[in-house]
Amino acid sequence: MPPTFTTEAIVLRSIRYGEADRVLHLYTRDRGRVGAIAKGVRRVKSRFGGRLEPMVRSELMLREGRGDLCTVNGAHTIDAHASIRESRAALDRAVQACDAVLRLLDSQEPNPPAYNLLCHELQLLDRDPAAATRAQALAFRMKLLLAAGFAPELASCAACGEREHLSGFSASAGGVVCPGCEAGSFALDADAHSFLVNALGRPLAEHPPGSEPVLRQADRAIAETIEYHAHVRMRRVAA
Ligand SMILES: [Zn+2]
């Protein structure tokens, strides 16, 4: 018998497969990214009901297969995040968050900070749809970058270590840069710099606010960091 294991997981994406099945992209607490097939889940009387929908957090029993996909043998809902679907803004942000995890974290190594961050994000959007703002989405991405090991240098010039007059951002240098090292950078206002610092330092629910220009610069810094270091093109966080 192939081995079975139990782990907490969030369904990042669910794709129709065959007549009644779905292939699930899971982010698990204990094994990072896992692909699984849920057999018969699209039948009206499926024993899984809605427990394998995207964004649901559940305890899953999985059986390892011969290929890349596990088979879902059992599911117990921990948090369905049902209110997310009642708010268009919250749903959009939640889909974005799951997509970011899907694209940035493809390793089968467990990453508890990334798993916990996604759980917190979905819980926040579920309980407070008003949290579904661009600033909040950027704070989430910034923390996700940290969890994935790609956080930019923000305390001193990423190229020379200078701690004053940090006025640019360069993804290739690895973070903020001083005027002497500004080649290839774009101008980063002091407010945008402190937005990035606070987004990392504060709890997710207490993300910093930011004006449109501040958020646009922060968005660019995050997107270019992801592109340069993770080699992933991610859509910018729309207003
Ligand atoms: Zn410098």
Side-chain angles (χ1 to χ4, degrees):
M1 281 290 286
T4 61
F5 61 97
T6 303
T7 182
E8 254 196 37
I10 287 177
V11 179
L12 300 176
R13 189 180 286 176
S14 161
I15 300 160
R16 287 160 172 260
Y17 185 78
E19 284 203 357
D21 307 340
R22 282 186 177 277
V23 169
L24 309 176
H25 291 286
L26 303 170
Y27 200 67
T28 70
R29 186 188 57 196
D30 305 322
R31 300 200 181 196
R33 272 282 291 288
V34 169
I37 185 157
K39 289 187 177 154
V41 70
R42 278 159 53 215
R43 293 206 178 92
V44 177
K45 287 186 177 169
S46 162
R47 63 198 170 101
F48 294 119
R51 280 170 289 173
L52 298 174
E53 296 286 316
M55 290 168 283
V56 173
R57 176 180 178 183
S58 46
E59 181 93 24
L60 299 180
M61 193 198 284
L62 299 165
R63 191 179 72 234
E64 288 180 28
R66 254 177 275 167
D68 291 339
L69 294 177
C70 294
T71 302
V72 183
N73 275 3
H76 168 75
T77 305
I78 295 170
D79 194 338
H81 303 122
S83 300
I84 288 179
R85 289 178 176 76
E86 292 165 13
S87 154
R88 181 58 201 261
L91 182 61
D92 285 350
R93 296 302 181 197
V95 167
Q96 243 173 36
C98 286
D99 189 57
V101 170
L102 189 71
R103 306 193 59 193
L104 263 186
L105 296 157
D106 55 2
S107 154
Q108 292 180 354
E109 290 294 308
N111 185 331
Y115 181 75
N116 291 333
L117 178 65
L118 181 61
C119 289
H120 284 147
E121 174 74 0
L122 295 177
Q123 198 176 57
L124 181 65
L125 293 170
D126 186 50
R127 300 200 178 146
D128 180 15
T133 63
R134 188 183 189 192
Q136 199 283 327
L138 289 170
F140 170 77
R141 273 198 186 177
M142 206 49 198
K143 285 178 178 293
L144 189 63
L145 274 183
L146 178 67
F150 300 117
E153 173 62 54
L154 298 174
S156 57
C157 175
C160 75
E162 165 69 45
R163 301 187 74 90
E164 306 283 326
H165 312 298
L166 301 166
S167 54
F169 187 94
S170 162
S172 60
V176 292
V177 289
C178 73
C181 305
E182 69 182 4
S185 72
F186 67 88
L188 188 77
D189 296 343
D191 286 349
H193 185 187
S194 63
F195 176 88
L196 294 173
V197 171
N198 287 323
L200 270 187
R202 290 194 201 170
L204 200 52
E206 296 163 27
H207 65 86
S211 66
E212 206 283 325
V214 161
L215 297 182
R216 200 175 50 226
Q217 288 179 21
D219 200 356
R220 182 172 175 187
I222 292 168
E224 290 186 4
T225 298
I226 291 172
E227 271 174 38
Y228 191 87
H229 296 284
H231 311 293
V232 168
R233 274 190 89 89
M234 220 178 271
R235 215 176 296 157
R236 298 282 171 93
V237 179

